[in-house]
Amino acid sequence: PDVTRIRNRFLDSLYSAVMQKPITMDFVYGDVDENGVMTPLDGQQRLTTLFLVHWMMGSEKLQTSDGHSVLSYSTRPSSKDFCNELVKHNAADYIGEAKDKSALNKKDTTKLSKIIKEKDWFSWSWKFDPTIQSMLVMIDAIYEEIVDGINMEDGRCRLNNIVFDFKDLNEL
C-alpha cells in the first residue's frame, strides 16, 4: 500500500505538470561522460518514469540518431533491449487498443501492459525481468493516472514543465 500511495502521489505531481503547473523533481546525481551520456547514481526510477511518460505522450525525443532508446540499462541487457524495442512503437496505438478492448468488456478495463505483452515483439523472457515488470506496472499507473482523458497534444507541449536538478558527481 505504501508503494502504491507513493507512486500515485508522484504521478499526481506529474499530471499537474502536464496540465499546467511546473514541477522540479529534486536532485538526480550522476556523471556525464565525454559523449554527453548521463549515468545516474541516484534517481533512476524518476528518470525511468519520465521516459515512460514521454513515450506514452508521444514524444519524438526518445530515440538516438541510430534508433536506440535514449534510456538504457547497462547492468541488465534485457531491460536495455526492452527500451530499444518500446521506442519503436507508438504508445497511442496501444492506448487506443486498450480503450477499445475496455469498451467491449465493460466489466473490466484492459491494462496497457497486457496489450504490450501480447505484441509479437515482446520477448517471453522479459516477463521475468524485474526492471521490465516494474516498468510495465508504471505504464499501467501512468495510463490510469495521467494519460486516460487528457489532450495528448496539449500535454506533450507541457512535458518541459517537468524538470530535475542534476548534480554532476565529477564537479562535487
Side-chain angles (χ1 to χ4, degrees), residues 44-75:
Q44 179 179 330
Q45 289 176 319
R46 286 175 281 157
L47 293 172
T48 300
T49 300
L50 279 178
F51 168 79
L52 294 173
V53 167
H54 277 76
W55 176 72
M56 293 179 72
M57 298 291 291
S59 176
E60 297 175 358
K61 302 174 185 176
L62 298 178
Q63 289 181 312
T64 61
S65 59
D66 59 356
H68 290 96
S69 169
V70 295
L71 178 71
S72 183
Y73 290 86
S74 54
T75 57

Side-chain angles (χ1 to χ4, degrees), residues 28-32 39-42 166-172:
V28 173
Y29 295 92
D31 65 88
V32 178
T39 302
L41 176 65
D42 178 49
F166 178 71
K167 294 294 183 185
D168 191 334
L169 292 175
N170 296 319
E171 296 175 5
L172 296 177

Side-chain angles (χ1 to χ4, degrees), residues 6-17:
I6 292 167
R7 179 178 55 236
N8 289 343
R9 281 184 52 208
F10 180 53
L11 290 174
D12 287 344
S13 296
L14 293 179
Y15 177 78
S16 293

Side-chain angles (χ1 to χ4, degrees), residues 16-44:
S16 293
V18 171
M19 294 308 289
Q20 292 283 5
K21 184 180 174 188
I23 179 178
T24 300
M25 297 180 12
D26 297 324
F27 293 101
V28 173
Y29 295 92
D31 65 88
V32 178
D33 70 14
E34 62 278 353
N35 296 320
V37 175
M38 180 184 72
T39 302
L41 176 65
D42 178 49
Q44 179 179 330

Side-chain angles (χ1 to χ4, degrees), residues 66-127:
D66 59 356
H68 290 96
S69 169
V70 295
L71 178 71
S72 183
Y73 290 86
S74 54
T75 57
R76 218 181 270 259
S78 57
S79 300
K80 178 180 182 177
D81 293 342
F82 174 74
C83 291
N84 283 334
E85 192 61 41
L86 186 68
V87 298
K88 293 177 184 175
H89 304 278
N90 187 342
D93 293 338
Y94 297 159
I95 291 167
E97 191 174 332
K99 286 181 178 182
D100 290 346
K101 284 187 176 187
S102 293
L104 291 174
N105 183 5
K106 299 193 186 305
K107 293 181 183 177
D108 192 24
T109 58
T110 301
K111 292 190 177 285
L112 205 51
S113 61
K114 181 177 188 241
I115 301 293
I116 292 169
K117 288 179 191 176
E118 291 172 347
K119 298 302 175 190
D120 61 355
W121 60 264
F122 188 87
S123 173
W124 179 82
S125 64
W126 292 347
K127 294 178 181 181

